[in-house]
Amino acid sequence: MSVDSERRAAGPPPKQAQETRRARYDRATADLDPPLALVGEGAFDRNAADLARRAAGLPIRVATKSLRCRYLIERALATPGYHGVMCYTLAEALWLHAAGTSDDLLVAYPTVDRAALRALAGDEQARPHVTIMADSEAHLDVVDRALGAGHPEIRVCLELDVSWRPLARRAAVHIGTRRSPLHTPEQAVAFARAVDRRTGFRLAGVM
């Protein structure tokens, strides 16, 4: 990924200026194989600052599923108002921790990556800073099978389904994503207690 730091003037540039800029970009990327992207650092920074302003003091977690460039992830995290990363996979979380990108890494989806789970369990530096996602005891069973009895404590985030179900008794009426089987406060509490009862796990958050 190439990064263009040119600040864009207000309003659309004239056609000649656009063609000149395109020619310059083509020359700069002539030796790179696509796909690639050009990112204006000025525009990126202004967008990041505006998101922080609208968050009104709530910390923003950077989602790497949407920002697939470590340089830009770290640039966003350097902006006041940003803290922590939501990672696409556990392997990615371990990589970002090893790179020093963040000390607060949440894996967005339940993982069945046994090699990554073993790497997490064996990394005393990463374990306190990486949290995996779960919405059923079956996800915890995967971890137990991958790591064996008496494994080190793994941080768990409980995932709730917060989509809209206006007619709860009619499953066909469901507005939003189907992210979790935990729909009610009672179900969330029951699963949280299940995590708390099991050795080798610590409930660290709710999404």
Side-chain angles (χ1 to χ4, degrees), residues 43-173:
F44 183 90
D45 292 345
R46 289 191 294 275
N47 287 338
D50 189 56
L51 284 171
R53 177 188 61 80
R54 285 183 280 165
L58 292 174
I60 299 173
R61 185 179 290 274
V62 179
T64 67
K65 179 181 178 180
S66 303
L67 191 60
R68 306 298 293 161
C69 173
R70 199 182 79 197
Y71 172 85
L72 293 176
I73 293 168
E74 293 173 350
R75 191 176 184 90
L77 289 172
T79 304
Y82 289 75
H83 181 79
V85 175
M86 184 165 70
C87 303
Y88 192 40
T89 66
L90 176 54
E92 181 185 66
L94 293 169
W95 175 66
L96 291 174
H97 179 268
T101 297
S102 176
D103 62 357
D104 183 354
L105 299 122
L106 172 68
V107 181
Y109 307 98
T111 184
V112 294
D113 186 335
R114 293 173 295 177
L117 285 167
R118 288 192 289 268
L120 174 63
D123 191 335
E124 294 184 359
Q125 300 301 316
R127 274 202 315 275
H129 304 289
V130 176
T131 304
I132 66 171
M133 194 69 64
D135 60 33
S136 74
E137 289 200 66
H139 295 145
L140 307 183
D141 294 340
V142 170
V143 178
D144 282 342
R145 287 195 298 270
L147 303 183
H151 62 74
E153 186 175 79
I154 304 297
R155 292 166 54 89
V156 173
C157 180
L158 185 157
E159 182 168 31
L160 301 179
D161 178 6
V162 294
S163 53
W164 188 34
R165 303 169 78 213
L167 301 174
R169 294 183 181 180
R170 297 181 61 183
V173 183

Side-chain angles (χ1 to χ4, degrees), residues 3-8 39-48 75:
V3 179
D4 171 48
S5 59
E6 176 181 345
R7 288 185 172 275
R8 189 169 184 172
V39 177
E41 289 181 340
F44 183 90
D45 292 345
R46 289 191 294 275
N47 287 338
R75 191 176 184 90

